[in-house]
Amino acid sequence: MTELKIKDNALISKRFFDGISNVTEKIIDKTLEQLEQEGVFIFPKLIKDAEDISKDQVILQSFNDCYRSSNVMGFLGYGKERLVIESRFSTGICDYFFQYLLECVLSFPNILELNTDSNQDSLMFNLLLFLFPHYLKEAMRKGLFKTYIQNQYNDGNVKGSIDIPRHVRKNTPFIGNVAYNQREFSYDNYLMQLIRHTIEFIKKKPYGNNLLQKTKDEVSLVVGTTNGYEFFDRRKVIAENIKNPIRHAYYREYRALQRLCIMILQHEKHQIGPGMRQIHGILFDGSWIWEEYINLLIGSDFHHPMNKGRKGAQRLFARNVGLIYPDFISHEVDNRIIVDAKYKPCENIKGSDYQQLLAYMFRFDAKKGIYLYPQNQGVENIELRMNSGSTYENNVCPRDDIMVFKCGLTIPNEVANYEDFKVKIKKSEEDLKLECSSI
């Protein structure tokens, strides 16, 4: 087993990838949309709905004699080769920062050391298991999935088409029953059966019951609906779901859940993907997970429009012109503050980033804007004041009423273990919240 670790948003020599040439060949210059179609699981589930991740974005892009990684973290495998993409803000041996983000945002249980598991296939599989409650809850918000199914009966109440071969086989000599098929609109269908099989599979894991506890109401609904569940039907249920993917736009959350369930149930036989010769893995959008993490820190004082969820949309102009989704808008109207979460170093926040934040500030009559970003070492906050005047009149000077602040969250790297990391980053969180409240 050959494993290579790289950082996101990095420029790396092609020679560094010689040991994993097969997996590199499979992903180089391919878009996330292409990789998703080939079996890689990408989070958030709908690339086209994510603000900071594009279906045209590539994981590794050729750049002269180097490869450039993108804003994506996760794990990829092909045959006996593995590629691990860590956060660039973790400079220690272990990527505790990425693990902490997953634990906070997706409520992953603290039972897995992301960097100490020597078997990356098992690691990816565990990550898929931990995603199941989140996807189940998202899908069940649409209600139970209901569709037409073909049921077989053998009784005297004929309501559908008679199945002559089965009737002859089962009812000879004739004793009053008739074998027939009936098309019915039912909750107990192939997809709900797939979800039930996944639930039963997870229950057998040592941590399964604790994992499913977060969605106990949804689990109860699924179990109560799938009265036809049989353990030995698992292979048939998987095959039927592979043959009939959910395509209706209304049930897109169920489509993502269907893919996840298939990957979980096929893991032991196929090692996550449909075969050793297929690229497999799981990837996370760094910008999205950082924004959701910031929401956990400051969300009680701010509105949080979400492009991915189509919630809180704002407009720049009348007549619904100029759709925008600011990251955070403060509740306080008289002292409005706009906050932009940036998963990039302080020195990379410039140009179009300034223009975007100032446009949001102008739209909401905000005098203050804040960038929140991760940083590897403690740095003083930067205060930027808007200029007035112009060079043509030679009267350029800073204003006192419109300001933009850059505030960094210090990511601890000199730590003994993950528990030590959590203690230190909690301190960084408190410092950041204190700094924001003082602005």
Side-chain angles (χ1 to χ4, degrees):
M1 183 73 68
T2 305
E3 177 184 306
L4 176 66
K5 292 184 178 182
I6 64 172
K7 300 292 185 181
D8 64 12
N9 292 277
L11 193 63
I12 308 163
S13 172
K14 290 183 177 179
R15 290 177 295 178
F16 192 65
F17 293 82
D18 289 344
I20 57 164
S21 57
N22 291 324
V23 68
T24 304
E25 181 182 349
K26 283 293 179 181
I27 66 174
I28 192 65
D29 292 327
K30 283 190 177 181
T31 66
L32 291 174
E33 186 176 41
Q34 290 174 315
L35 291 175
E36 190 173 38
Q37 292 173 353
E38 294 181 13
V40 176
F41 203 85
I42 298 174
F43 193 92
K45 54 187 175 298
L46 298 174
I47 298 174
K48 62 183 180 181
D49 289 338
E51 183 174 11
D52 296 307
I53 192 170
S54 166
K55 65 181 180 180
D56 298 324
Q57 184 176 339
V58 297
I59 299 176
L60 281 181
Q61 184 176 19
S62 295
F63 187 79
N64 296 329
D65 60 345
C66 297
Y67 291 136
R68 186 187 297 277
S69 60
S70 65
N71 220 33
V72 173
M73 297 175 284
F75 312 86
L76 291 165
Y78 181 82
K80 294 184 177 180
E81 299 176 358
R82 302 293 178 266
L83 175 64
V84 181
I85 307 174
E86 300 179 329
S87 170
R88 56 184 153 165
F89 296 102
S90 292
T91 59
I93 298 176
C94 297
D95 189 5
Y96 291 138
F97 179 49
F98 181 31
Q99 179 176 348
Y100 183 72
L101 290 178
L102 294 178
E103 182 180 327
C104 291
V105 175
L106 299 176
S107 300
F108 278 14
N110 183 19
I111 59 175
L112 179 68
E113 290 285 344
L114 294 183
N115 298 276
T116 59
D117 192 333
S118 59
N119 187 341
Q120 291 296 335
D121 280 332
S122 297
L123 171 57
M124 286 186 281
F125 176 61
N126 286 330
L127 287 174
L128 291 175
L129 290 181
F130 298 158
L131 284 173
F132 177 78
H134 177 87
Y135 278 69
L136 177 62
K137 189 177 287 289
E138 287 287 313
M140 294 287 282
R141 287 176 181 171
K142 293 287 180 70
L144 291 169
F145 178 79
K146 193 175 185 181
T147 190
Y148 283 102
I149 61 172
Q150 194 82 356
N151 284 326
Q152 295 182 340
Y153 296 97
N154 187 42
D155 53 40
N157 303 315
V158 182
K159 296 181 181 179
S161 59
I162 297 176
D163 189 339
I164 295 177
R166 188 162 57 89
H167 176 72
V168 172
R169 186 171 64 253
K170 289 193 171 186
N171 301 314
T172 302
F174 182 67
I175 56 174
N177 291 334
V178 177
Y180 63 94
N181 300 324
Q182 184 176 4
R183 192 165 182 259
E184 297 176 311
F185 202 46
S186 173
Y187 290 116
D188 191 3
N189 50 65
Y190 65 96
L191 177 55
M192 298 306 296
Q193 285 287 339
L194 179 73
I195 299 171
R196 173 68 183 278
H197 279 276
T198 307
I199 289 172
E200 298 301 328
F201 178 84
I202 294 176
K203 282 182 179 179
K204 294 182 179 180
K205 297 295 179 181
Y207 47 82
N209 289 325
N210 290 335
L211 189 61
L212 295 174
Q213 186 65 26
K214 295 179 293 185
T215 54
K216 60 180 181 180
D217 293 337
E218 289 81 1
V219 169
S220 297
L221 281 173
V222 173
V223 172
T225 300
T226 52
N227 296 321
Y229 168 78
E230 292 289 343
F231 172 79
F232 295 103
D233 289 341
R234 181 167 296 175
R235 181 177 296 180
K236 181 177 69 174
V237 170
I238 294 173
E240 188 173 1
N241 277 271
I242 293 175
K243 183 180 178 182
N244 299 297
I246 303 300
R247 301 189 186 279
H248 198 288
Y250 179 76
Y251 288 114
R252 61 185 185 180
E253 290 85 359
Y254 272 105
R255 170 58 182 146
L257 179 60
Q258 183 186 46
R259 288 186 62 240
L260 179 62
C261 290
I262 291 172
M263 293 179 74
I264 289 174
L265 294 177
Q266 284 190 324
H267 170 258
E268 291 183 341
K269 180 179 180 181
H270 298 300
Q271 294 190 350
I272 299 179
M276 284 295 288
R277 294 189 177 183
Q278 177 150 344
I279 188 72
H280 60 269
I282 180 169
L283 299 172
F284 296 85
D285 171 26
S287 295
W288 178 86
I289 202 168
W290 170 252
E291 181 180 324
E292 294 306 305
Y293 167 67
I294 292 298
N295 184 48
L296 295 176
L297 298 183
I298 67 172
S300 60
D301 298 319
F302 288 82
H303 302 292
H304 179 37
M306 291 182 287
N307 186 17
K308 186 177 74 68
R310 295 293 187 263
K311 297 178 181 178
Q314 306 294 319
R315 301 284 179 172
L316 283 173
F317 308 104
R319 299 180 182 178
N320 289 330
V321 176
L323 177 66
I324 57 173
Y325 286 92
D327 288 349
F328 300 95
I329 306 171
S330 67
H331 293 164
E332 190 175 351
V333 178
D334 295 334
N335 185 29
R336 183 78 84 185
I337 299 176
I338 305 298
V339 174
D340 197 4
K342 290 296 183 185
Y343 181 72
K344 57 172 67 175
C346 178
E347 60 271 17
N348 290 354
I349 301 175
K350 53 189 177 182
S352 60
D353 297 322
Y354 294 145
Q355 296 167 15
Q356 181 188 54
L357 182 59
L358 288 172
Y360 293 161
M361 291 169 61
F362 183 66
R363 162 64 179 82
F364 296 101
D365 296 322
K367 301 298 183 181
K368 296 178 181 178
I370 303 176
Y371 289 109
L372 297 181
Y373 60 93
Q375 61 184 12
N376 294 116
Q377 56 186 359
V379 179
E380 292 292 330
N381 292 341
I382 298 176
E383 178 183 312
L384 303 172
R385 296 191 177 188
M386 170 72 77
N387 272 337
S388 64
S390 74
T391 56
Y392 297 108
E393 286 79 32
N394 196 27
N395 61 348
V396 176
C397 63
R399 298 174 55 168
D400 294 327
D401 56 339
I402 300 179
M403 292 170 285
V404 171
F405 300 86
K406 291 184 177 181
C407 300
L409 175 75
T410 303
I411 310 302
N413 285 300
E414 295 182 2
V415 294
N417 49 45
Y418 183 57
E419 293 303 321
D420 186 27
F421 175 89
K422 290 176 67 174
V423 171
K424 291 183 178 180
I425 199 170
K426 292 292 184 184
K427 176 63 168 57
S428 297
E429 292 173 353
E430 292 300 322
D431 293 341
L432 181 68
K433 287 189 284 188
L434 185 63
E435 290 169 357
C436 290
S437 63
S438 64
I439 291 176

